[in-house]
């Protein structure tokens, strides 16, 4: 490798560094819903852009920047949910891209939750457009959506994962592959028994195989897994087989997972998992406590993110 | 139901009507790749828009309109692949939306191949943004991406399907759920044996359950399945358990599936499946035959779509 230029710092190492230096395992889920945004943001958007999809997207833009500013100190990463941006049409995708860049500038790692999946050159197009670079007509490279990591669905097998992994290695990015999700019906497919073990363990075995040899300095690979906090026993099982994967853990708070449930996904040093909370942080302004305190949405989000950080760190210290 | 206003005509019935009246089972896969577009389209795009992601998107726009015009007579539907539009960034999503509308105006049914998947309110956001309507700030409804049907990944179980099915019923749309895909590694997950049968049959059982009672006048439900032409035996098995589902059959042509392989997915009347071909139609201009004939990309695509239509109809007549 003598003479090879140093590649970009791998996502797994950057996440390790962020969790350690900021001492937080919080991932803020940016899942904007227009009805739940503060009234002044919605009114301003209609006034400036008219009452169409663009106003919805621009309201998400102002709201998203406010949430990023308010929570950057307390979170390791932010996870914009592509569905809510796509849900207001193409304008929403510009805002998604802009917010990814804004969060990066504010020092947050960005996990784009898009659950993309396809095969061959199609998966490559997703990988380039999100994690890599847009291929231009003259041969140059244009700006992609640009997150540090992307969530990916494994149903298509390794053909559907390899193009994403290739982009991860080339651009220092990461993926989080759905293994055992937090929803009540995740068992319909994921818990089916294959050769005596649940399907999600087979997915884990595939991720382990594909990640082998890709460990960075931190010991973690670019191939993470989505592991719901609502199924702590399964999370422990997955941690055992995937010691070198970052876990993205949804289901804390609103969905019922506790701090004790989520710390089981972390290694002895308290590393290896980031825990997502969406509504309980970004819509904290609607809570009675926030109203009693006179908090605006940013103050409420900051307080919720800080309290979640401390809740998880206390559970780590107490185990 | 007396007094209830008539709902929109269900997608399954509209597809039935299109296949019968046009006597074609062809679905044109719109998978644009910038390097393979005709030189004059690429040059015009750079001249008009500069050499950035917008030029790539606008080249896809001109090319896509040309393909739609050329193939509308010979195809029942067109299937834009979202990955290639997303792969050039947000501008590509505007072009995707515009081409969906253009194809609709030209009398083609549109299947958006986006393999979306999520749960609960997030899946609802995808369903609204693609199949339904954008929810505006003032309470009104804005324009969604607007295809007639969307491809969906089943890994999250029924929580991940129900919001899409709800939108199908409300707006007269359809979904095609990945069951057995055409790629070489589709067996990594989909063929795993669960209680003595492959996983894709368990997915089929779930689709059958969810579709029950949703049959339209044609006898088909809004819940279709993606069933690769490269696995004809599995396709026959799936047809048996899903007699009321439209199949979207990829893998014809470039991937190795023949007309004889694909007609096994159709019922006795030759209904129940549309067969996709992408590269062999949209990049037909690069073939020696097209060059010898002096065809431009539109003439070449029209000839390829017509020949595929006839190939499948002949195989149907011969069985």
């Amino acid at each position: 490798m003598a003479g090879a230029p140093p590649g970009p710092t791998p996502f797994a190492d950057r996440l390790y560094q962020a969790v350690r230096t900021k001492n937080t395992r919080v991932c803020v889920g940016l899942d904007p819903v227009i009805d739940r945004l503060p009234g002044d943001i919605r009114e301003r958007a209609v006034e400036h852009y008219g009452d169409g999809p663009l106003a919805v997207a621009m309201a998400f833009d102002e709201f998203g920047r406010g949430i990023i500013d308010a929570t950057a100190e307390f979170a390791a990463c932010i996870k914009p949910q592509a569905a809510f941006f796509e849900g207001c049409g193409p304008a929403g995708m510009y805002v998604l891209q802009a917010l990814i860049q804004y969060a990066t500038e504010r020092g947050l790692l960005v996990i784009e939750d898009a659950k993309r999946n396809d095969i061959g050159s199609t998966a490559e197009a997703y990988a380039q457009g999100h994690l890599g670079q847009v291929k231009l007509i003259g041969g140059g490279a244009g700006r992609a959506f640009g997150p540090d990591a992307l969530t990916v669905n494994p149903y298509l097998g390794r053909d559907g994962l390899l193009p994403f992994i290739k982009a991860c290695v080339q651009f220092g990015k990461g993926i989080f592959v759905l293994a055992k999700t937090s929803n009540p019906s995740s068992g319909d497919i994921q818990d089916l028994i294959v050769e005596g073990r649940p399907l999600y363990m087979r997915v884990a075995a595939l991720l382990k195989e594909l990640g082998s040899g890709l460990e960075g300095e931190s010991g973690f690979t670019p191939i993470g897994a989505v592991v719901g906090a609502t199924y702590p026993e399964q999370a422990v099982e997955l941690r055992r087989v995937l010691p070198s994967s970052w876990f993205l853990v949804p289901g804390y708070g609103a969905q019922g997972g506790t701090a004790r449930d989520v710390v089981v996904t972390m290694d002895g040093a308290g590393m290896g998992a980031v825990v997502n909370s969406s509504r309980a942080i970004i819509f904290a302004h609607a809570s009675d406590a926030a109203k009693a305190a006179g908090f605006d949405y940013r103050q409420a989000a900051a307080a919720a993110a800080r309290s979640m950080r401390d809740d998880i760190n206390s559970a780590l210290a107490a185990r």
Side-chain angles (χ1 to χ4, degrees), chain A residues 209-228:
Chain A
E209 175 201 325
L210 297 175
S212 171
L214 299 182
E215 296 81 2
E217 283 188 15
S218 62
F220 288 93
T221 78
I223 309 175
V226 176
V227 178

Side-chain angles (χ1 to χ4, degrees), chain A residues 26 28 70-71 74 252 277-285 287 290 295 297-311:
Chain A
V26 171
V28 175
T71 60
F74 310 111
Y252 172 89
S277 175
S278 303
R279 286 163 284 175
I281 293 176
I282 70 171
F283 301 136
H285 58 279
S287 71
F295 282 172
Y297 79 101
R298 287 163 294 209
Q299 294 166 312
R306 180 208 298 256
S307 140
M308 178 177 164
R309 175 197 67 182
D310 296 343
D311 183 33

Side-chain angles (χ1 to χ4, degrees), chain A residues 14-193:
Chain A
R14 291 185 285 131
L15 184 56
Y16 191 95
Q17 193 62 24
V19 169
R20 201 174 55 176
T21 57
K22 293 171 98 170
N23 192 30
T24 173
R25 284 92 188 149
V26 171
C27 176
V28 175
L30 191 55
D31 295 16
V33 174
I34 194 64
D35 294 344
R36 301 183 70 178
L37 262 50
D40 61 322
I41 292 181
R42 295 193 287 155
E43 284 158 24
R44 233 178 343 261
V46 171
E47 191 185 319
H48 292 176
Y49 301 102
D51 191 10
L54 180 60
V56 179
M58 294 311 290
F60 287 178
D61 187 71
E62 181 183 341
F63 179 72
R65 285 168 199 264
I67 293 289
I68 290 165
D69 287 340
T71 60
E73 180 184 348
F74 310 111
C77 45
I78 190 159
K79 181 175 78 62
Q81 169 52 259
F84 294 104
F85 295 91
E86 235 176 276
C88 55
M93 301 304 275
Y94 272 105
V95 169
L96 174 60
Q97 187 183 49
L99 288 176
I100 289 171
Q101 177 165 343
Y102 188 76
T104 303
E105 289 165 5
R106 288 296 174 280
L108 286 165
L109 291 169
V110 182
I111 302 170
E112 185 188 346
D113 193 357
K115 297 184 175 62
R116 294 302 192 254
N117 64 110
D118 216 296
I119 55 171
S121 63
T122 312
E124 216 171 280
Y126 277 132
Q128 291 298 318
H130 290 273
L131 301 174
Q133 294 171 330
V134 174
K135 192 172 187 179
L136 301 181
I137 293 176
R143 185 171 152 213
F145 282 94
D148 297 288
L150 183 71
T151 59
V152 172
N153 184 307
Y155 190 69
L156 295 157
R158 75 191 65 211
D159 298 339
L161 298 174
L162 289 169
F164 290 101
I165 295 169
K166 190 177 151 200
C168 287
V169 171
Q170 186 179 356
F171 297 100
K173 305 284 186 166
I175 53 173
F176 288 93
V177 181
L178 304 185
K180 175 63 184 167
T181 56
S182 59
N183 55 308
S185 81
S186 68
D188 282 349
I189 304 294
Q190 300 161 27
D191 290 356
L192 295 175
I193 300 298

